[in-house]
Amino acid sequence: FFGGNNGFVLAAKNPEVPTERKRYHPPLRFSRLLVNGERRPMHRAAADRDETEVLLLRHDENNISIGLSVAEYINSANLELFYRMSDDNDWIRASDYLATFNRLAYGSYELQARYRDTVTGYESPVSTMRLRVAPPWYMSGVAQSFYLLVALMMGAGVIHRLKRKERMRRLLQIEKIEREHNDQLYEQKLRFFTNITHEFCSPLTLIYGPCERLLSYDRSDNYVRRYVSLIKQNAERLNSLIQEVIDFRRLETGHRELNVDRIAISAMSTQILAAFEHLAEQNALSLVGDIEPDIQFNTDGSAFTKIFYNLVSNAFKYTPQGGVIKVSVRKDGDALTLSVYNTGKGITAEDRRRIFNRYEVLDNLEVNATKGLSVRNGLGLAICHSMVHFLDGTIDIKSEPGQYAEFIVKLPSLEKTAPNPASPDITIPDAMTVSRIMSDKSPGDISPVQDTPTESKGRILVVDDDREMLILLREGLDCYSVETASAADDAMARMRDRLPDLVITDIMMPDRDGISLISEIKANAITASIPVIVLSAKHTNDDRVAGLRAGADAYVPKPFTFSYLLAVIDRLTAPRRDAGAAVPAHYSYDRSKLQHYDDMKLVDDVVRYIEEHLQDEKLTAPMIAEGLGIGIRKLYRRFQQLEQPSPSDMIREIRISHAMKLMLTTTLSMKEIISMCGYRNRGSFYKTFMKKYGMPPIAYREELTSQKSDEPASSDEE
C-alpha cells in the first residue's frame, strides 16, 4: 500500500501483464568518420546502395577511423564493442568507440561491428558497412586495359620477331643452298668454257699457221694479204681470250701458285705503259704516266703484269677520243698502290656492285656487251679482281657517272717463295701485241680496197660498233654505195643529211642498241619507208621476234654469207611495180633529187596539205604557204631549187591523180568525182584530163574497165 493525501494506493498484480519484462537492446550504428586524422561528415562520404552503406574513398584516403555508437544511456558502461573486416577471423575490441584502419590497400571491404552486454551476456546482431578504396590512376581499369593492350602488342611483337627470325633463318638456308647451287653451276660453266677453249687451240693453230705461210708467200697480192691479215689478227684476239679463260679457271680452282720474287716494278710498269703510247696517239688520247722511280717490291711479277695490263686496257676501251688516261704507281711503306684513271661515261653504283661478279661474267656474255661490258673486258676485270685477291690485295672503284672512273689497287709486300718452274713466265706485251688485241679501238681506214663503182645499185647505211665488221661489209657490198656509222646517234645524224635506200644495223651497241634505232627510224614518217636489215649475233627466236616487232624488214644472224645478204638486200631494194598495174595509195613524186631531210619534209608537208584540202575549189599556192607558215616567194624558190613542180602545178597533178584513183577504184559518177577533187566545173576537169591522158575521162574509164574484165578470161584460156 502507498499512502497519499486522499487515501492510499493499492498496487496489485495485473493478471493481463506478463510477469517477465522484455529488455530493450538498441542497434549498433556507425556515427562518425575520420580520414587521415581529419573529421568528415558521414553523409558526404557514404552512399546507399542495395540498402547497405558504402563508404567511397580515394587511394590516398587509406588511414580511416569510423565511430561506433549504441543508443544506451543507462547501462552503457556494461557494453563492449567489437569490429573486424570481413576477411579477418578475429574480432578487435574498439577503444573510444572507434574502428581504426591504417594503410588500407585499394579494393572493396565490408566492416562488421557488434557489441556485448557484460552483465546480461547479450550479443547484438552484426552491423555491416561496405567500404571501397579506389585504386591509383596507374592501377585503374583504363590503365589495366592499356597495360593489357601493351602486353598483347609486346606479345605480338615477340611472336612476330620470332617468326621473322625463323623466316630469316629459312631465307639464309635457302640463300646458302642457292649459293652452293650457283657455285656448282658456276664451276660447271667454267669447266665447260675451259674445255671448249682447249678444243679451240687446235683449230686456231690450223688457222694461224696457214695465215703466216700465206703472208710470207712472195706471190700473195695486196688483196690476199689484207684478208689473211684480218684472219690472223682475229685468230690472235681469240687466242688471247682463250688464254684469259684458262687463267681465270686456274685462279678459281686454286691451281695457280704464287711465285714471289723481288720485282723492278718501275721498269716493268714503264715498259707496259710504253706499249700503249702508239694506241693513245691513234685515238687522240692523253696518256699520262706517274710512276715512282726505282721501286723494288716483293710480289708475283706475272700476276702484277696481268693486273696492270687489264686495267689499262679497260681504260682504253671506255675512254672517248680526246680523253685522258692517268696511270700512277706509288710505294706507300710496305704497300704498293696502282691507280688507273680515265675520263668517260664512268661507272654507275649498280655497275660497281656487279662489275667484278664472277657469276655475271659467265651468265650472259651478250647481255654484258649491251650493258657496256664487252666479253673480253668483262672477263679481264674479273681476272684482275681474282689476281688482286690472289696477292692478298684490295681493289676499289671511284667514279662519277659521265665524268670519270678510277681503279685503285693496293698490294701488300709478300715473302719470297722458292722458284716454281710451273709458274707462268712474266710476259710484257709490246706495242704490236697491244695493237692487235685492242684492234677494235684502233681507228683505221675503213675504205674498201677496190674503188666503189661509179654507178652503184643504191645507197646503204651500215651501223655497227665493230670497226672490222664495217670494213668487211663495205668491201663485201661493193656493188652498192656504202656509208658507215659506229653508233645509233651517228646513224640518225647521217640520215638527216642524206637518206639511204637501206639500213643494216647491229643489235648490241654501246649507249643505244639497234632496237631503239629501228624504232626511231620507223616512227618517223619520212624514214619509215626505208628498209632495215638486222645483222646480229643474237639468233634466238625471242631476239628475232623483238627485231621484227621493232620494225625490221629482215633479220640475218651472224655468221652469214654475202650471197644470202645480197639476196635479201636485192629483194628489199628492188624497184617498185609499174605504176599502171596498181593505183598508188597517194600522190608520189620524184624523191631522187631530194638528198636532205629538211627538203623531203617540206615537199611532204606541201603534198599532205594539198591532199587534206583537196575538195576546196579555192585552194591555191598562197593558201599552202600561209598554212605552212612560209612565204609564197620562198616556197616557189625552194621548189625551183629542188627541181620539183611548182605548188600550182602540184595542186593540179594531185587533183587529177586523185580523180584517176576514184575512177578506177570506185563506182562514183563523174559529177561526184569532179566535186570530190575540187574542180569548179566539168569543162576544166575534162580539159585537164584530155591534156594528160589524151582521151575523155569516161572513155578512159571504160577502156580500163574492159581491160580488167578481159584479163581473167585470157588467163583461163591459157
Side-chain angles (χ1 to χ4, degrees):
F1 294 94
F2 298 94
N5 295 329
N6 297 322
F8 59 91
V9 177
L10 174 64
K13 184 177 180 180
N14 190 352
E16 295 180 2
V17 177
T19 58
E20 295 183 0
R21 185 183 57 174
K22 187 175 182 180
R23 191 175 180 84
Y24 171 70
H25 299 291
L28 186 147
R29 298 184 181 278
F30 302 101
S31 59
R32 53 180 175 159
L33 174 64
L34 295 176
V35 178
N36 294 333
E38 297 180 1
R39 184 165 185 171
R40 295 187 181 179
M42 194 71 176
H43 66 276
R44 294 185 179 180
D48 187 12
R49 295 184 180 179
D50 300 332
E51 300 179 356
T52 303
E53 293 181 341
V54 178
L55 182 61
L56 301 178
L57 301 172
R58 298 194 307 269
H59 71 281
D60 56 347
E61 298 176 340
N62 55 356
N63 297 317
I64 62 173
S65 296
I66 299 176
L68 307 177
S69 64
V70 179
E72 175 62 68
Y73 302 103
I74 299 175
N75 299 318
S76 60
N78 299 331
L79 300 181
E80 291 182 346
L81 280 68
F82 301 90
Y83 68 91
R84 70 175 181 179
M85 286 296 185
S86 57
D87 55 350
D88 294 335
N89 295 324
D90 298 331
W91 289 88
I92 303 172
R93 184 175 179 177
S95 60
D96 298 331
Y97 291 87
L98 288 177
T100 303
F101 302 96
N102 295 320
R103 298 181 180 179
L104 281 176
Y106 67 90
S108 297
Y109 301 93
E110 185 179 67
L111 175 61
Q112 299 177 354
R114 65 182 178 84
Y115 68 89
R116 182 170 65 88
D117 192 337
T118 58
V119 176
T120 63
Y122 172 79
E123 291 185 358
S124 67
V126 177
S127 298
T128 61
M129 184 176 65
R130 293 173 58 192
L131 295 86
R132 184 176 300 127
V133 180
W137 64 268
Y138 51 84
M139 295 299 293
S140 63
V142 176
Q144 291 181 359
S145 300
F146 176 75
Y147 299 152
L148 178 61
L149 179 62
V150 172
L152 292 175
M153 292 177 64
M154 291 179 64
V158 171
I159 295 174
H160 177 72
R161 184 178 181 84
L162 292 176
K163 288 184 177 180
R164 183 179 179 183
K165 188 176 181 179
E166 178 67 17
R167 186 165 57 250
M168 290 297 295
R169 188 182 64 82
R170 293 181 181 178
L171 289 176
L172 290 175
Q173 290 180 348
I174 294 174
E175 288 180 0
K176 182 180 179 181
I177 296 173
E178 289 181 350
R179 193 182 308 111
E180 293 175 353
H181 175 72
N182 289 335
D183 289 338
Q184 295 176 0
L185 184 62
Y186 168 77
E187 181 65 25
Q188 293 175 1
K189 287 183 179 181
L190 189 57
R191 187 184 303 113
F192 171 76
F193 278 119
T194 307
N195 295 336
I196 290 295
T197 53
H198 282 296
E199 294 295 329
F200 285 161
C201 292
S202 295
L204 278 177
T205 303
L206 296 177
I207 294 173
Y208 194 82
C211 287
E212 288 185 330
R213 295 291 301 274
L214 287 173
L215 290 174
S216 61
Y217 186 55
D218 296 337
R219 296 184 181 180
S220 298
D221 57 11
N222 291 333
Y223 185 84
V224 173
R225 288 178 179 275
R226 179 181 180 85
Y227 282 100
V228 171
S229 298
L230 184 62
I231 296 172
K232 180 185 176 185
Q233 182 176 340
N234 282 276
E236 290 175 345
R237 293 175 62 188
L238 185 57
N239 182 64
S240 175
L241 179 60
I242 289 173
Q243 294 304 318
E244 288 189 347
V245 172
I246 294 175
D247 290 341
F248 192 49
R249 168 69 175 173
R250 289 174 180 171
L251 287 171
E252 292 297 312
T253 56
H255 291 164
R256 177 79 153 79
E257 296 183 1
L258 275 174
N259 185 16
V260 180
D261 198 1
R262 195 72 172 173
I263 305 297
I265 297 295
S266 299
M268 181 184 294
S269 302
T270 303
Q271 189 175 354
I272 298 175
L273 203 59
F276 286 89
E277 290 180 354
H278 180 65
L279 185 63
E281 293 178 359
Q282 288 181 330
N283 290 274
L285 300 177
S286 176
L287 180 60
V288 180
D290 183 14
I291 301 174
E292 183 178 328
D294 302 328
I295 297 179
Q296 299 290 329
F297 194 73
N298 291 348
T299 189
D300 189 315
S302 176
F304 178 79
T305 302
K306 288 185 178 295
I307 294 172
F308 193 103
Y309 175 77
N310 280 317
L311 289 180
V312 176
S313 299
N314 182 75
F316 271 87
K317 179 72 177 179
Y318 297 109
T319 304
Q321 289 191 356
V324 178
I325 299 176
K326 297 179 182 179
V327 180
S328 172
V329 180
R330 297 282 180 188
K331 185 177 180 182
D332 301 325
D334 293 335
L336 182 70
T337 302
L338 167 64
S339 171
V340 180
Y341 168 95
N342 70 284
T343 58
K345 63 180 183 180
I347 304 173
T348 62
E350 179 183 357
D351 290 335
R352 292 182 207 175
R353 291 191 295 267
R354 67 174 181 82
I355 196 169
F356 295 130
N357 191 323
R358 60 178 185 169
Y359 301 115
E360 293 197 11
V361 172
L362 299 180
D363 275 347
N364 195 334
L365 299 181
E366 292 182 349
V367 172
N368 286 342
T370 61
K371 292 181 178 178
L373 291 174
S374 69
V375 174
R376 185 183 177 280
N377 283 79
L379 188 58
L381 288 177
I383 292 175
C384 179
H385 182 260
S386 298
M387 284 288 184
V388 170
H389 285 278
F390 177 66
L391 298 178
D392 295 332
T394 60
I395 181 168
D396 297 319
I397 302 175
K398 293 182 179 180
S399 178
E400 184 176 343
Q403 299 294 328
Y404 73 92
E406 182 179 10
F407 291 83
I408 301 174
V409 176
K410 293 184 178 181
L411 301 176
S413 179
L414 304 175
E415 295 184 1
K416 286 186 178 182
T417 59
N420 186 2
S423 298
D425 297 331
I426 300 176
T427 304
I428 300 177
D430 55 12
M432 291 295 295
T433 304
V434 171
S435 298
R436 286 195 301 267
I437 298 177
M438 300 289 293
S439 60
D440 57 338
K441 192 65 179 175
S442 303
D445 182 14
I446 63 173
S447 60
V449 176
Q450 299 179 351
D451 295 334
T452 303
T454 55
E455 295 183 0
S456 64
K457 297 171 64 174
R459 293 184 64 256
I460 296 178
L461 176 62
V462 181
V463 188
D464 201 310
D465 61 332
D466 191 340
R467 173 182 152 274
E468 293 178 353
M469 183 60 66
L470 294 177
I471 296 175
L472 182 64
L473 288 172
R474 186 164 186 175
E475 295 179 355
L477 304 176
D478 53 359
C479 56
Y480 291 90
S481 176
V482 179
E483 189 175 359
T484 60
S486 59
D489 294 335
D490 184 22
M492 291 304 302
R494 293 177 184 271
M495 291 179 68
R496 293 187 186 97
D497 294 336
R498 188 176 183 185
L499 292 175
D501 297 313
L502 183 137
V503 175
I504 299 176
T505 180
D506 189 12
I507 293 295
M508 297 181 297
M509 294 184 292
D511 298 332
R512 287 181 56 193
D513 59 5
I515 297 297
S516 63
L517 174 62
I518 297 171
S519 301
E520 185 174 354
I521 292 175
K522 295 302 181 179
N524 193 311
I526 296 176
T527 59
S529 60
I530 300 176
V532 179
I533 298 177
V534 173
L535 199 64
S536 175
K538 303 177 72 173
H539 49 76
T540 63
N541 184 61
D542 292 339
D543 297 328
R544 297 180 185 226
V545 170
L548 296 176
R549 283 183 175 176
D553 298 273
Y555 196 103
V556 179
K558 297 177 183 177
F560 61 91
T561 61
F562 273 100
S563 59
Y564 178 76
L565 181 61
L566 286 170
V568 175
I569 294 174
D570 290 340
R571 180 180 64 83
L572 295 177
T573 58
R576 298 186 180 277
R577 303 292 181 183
D578 186 9
V583 179
H586 56 80
Y587 173 76
S588 60
Y589 58 90
D590 185 10
R591 295 173 177 257
S592 60
K593 299 178 181 179
L594 303 178
Q595 303 296 336
H596 296 283
Y597 176 87
D598 294 338
D599 298 337
M600 187 173 294
K601 185 176 185 303
L602 174 63
V603 179
D604 281 344
D605 290 343
V606 171
V607 172
R608 188 180 301 107
Y609 189 89
I610 295 174
E611 291 178 344
E612 291 175 355
H613 301 80
L614 195 62
Q615 296 185 12
D616 189 358
E617 298 178 357
K618 299 179 181 181
L619 180 63
T620 59
M623 289 179 59
I624 299 175
E626 183 179 357
L628 298 179
I630 187 174
I632 183 63
R633 293 185 179 180
K634 184 177 181 180
L635 180 63
Y636 270 92
R637 184 168 61 251
R638 287 287 301 277
F639 268 59
Q640 186 178 5
Q641 293 173 352
L642 299 176
E643 300 181 8
Q644 296 293 325
S646 66
S648 300
D649 294 338
M650 188 170 286
I651 294 174
R652 185 164 52 252
E653 289 293 331
I654 293 176
R655 287 188 191 278
I656 200 67
S657 297
H658 188 65
M660 178 71 175
K661 173 185 174 182
L662 294 176
M663 288 171 57
L664 298 179
T665 59
T666 67
T667 58
L668 296 174
S669 64
M670 202 59 61
K671 182 178 180 181
E672 292 173 328
I673 293 175
I674 293 172
S675 176
M676 293 178 65
C677 294
Y679 287 98
R680 295 184 178 180
N681 51 64
R682 186 185 186 94
S684 60
F685 171 68
Y686 271 69
K687 181 179 179 180
T688 304
F689 196 91
M690 286 281 293
K691 184 177 180 180
K692 185 174 181 63
Y693 296 102
M695 63 177 64
I698 297 179
Y700 189 82
R701 187 179 195 178
E702 292 175 352
E703 181 178 348
L704 289 179
T705 303
S706 61
Q707 289 179 1
K708 286 186 177 181
S709 60
D710 293 342
E711 287 179 0
S714 61
S715 62
D716 293 340
E717 291 175 1
E718 292 177 0

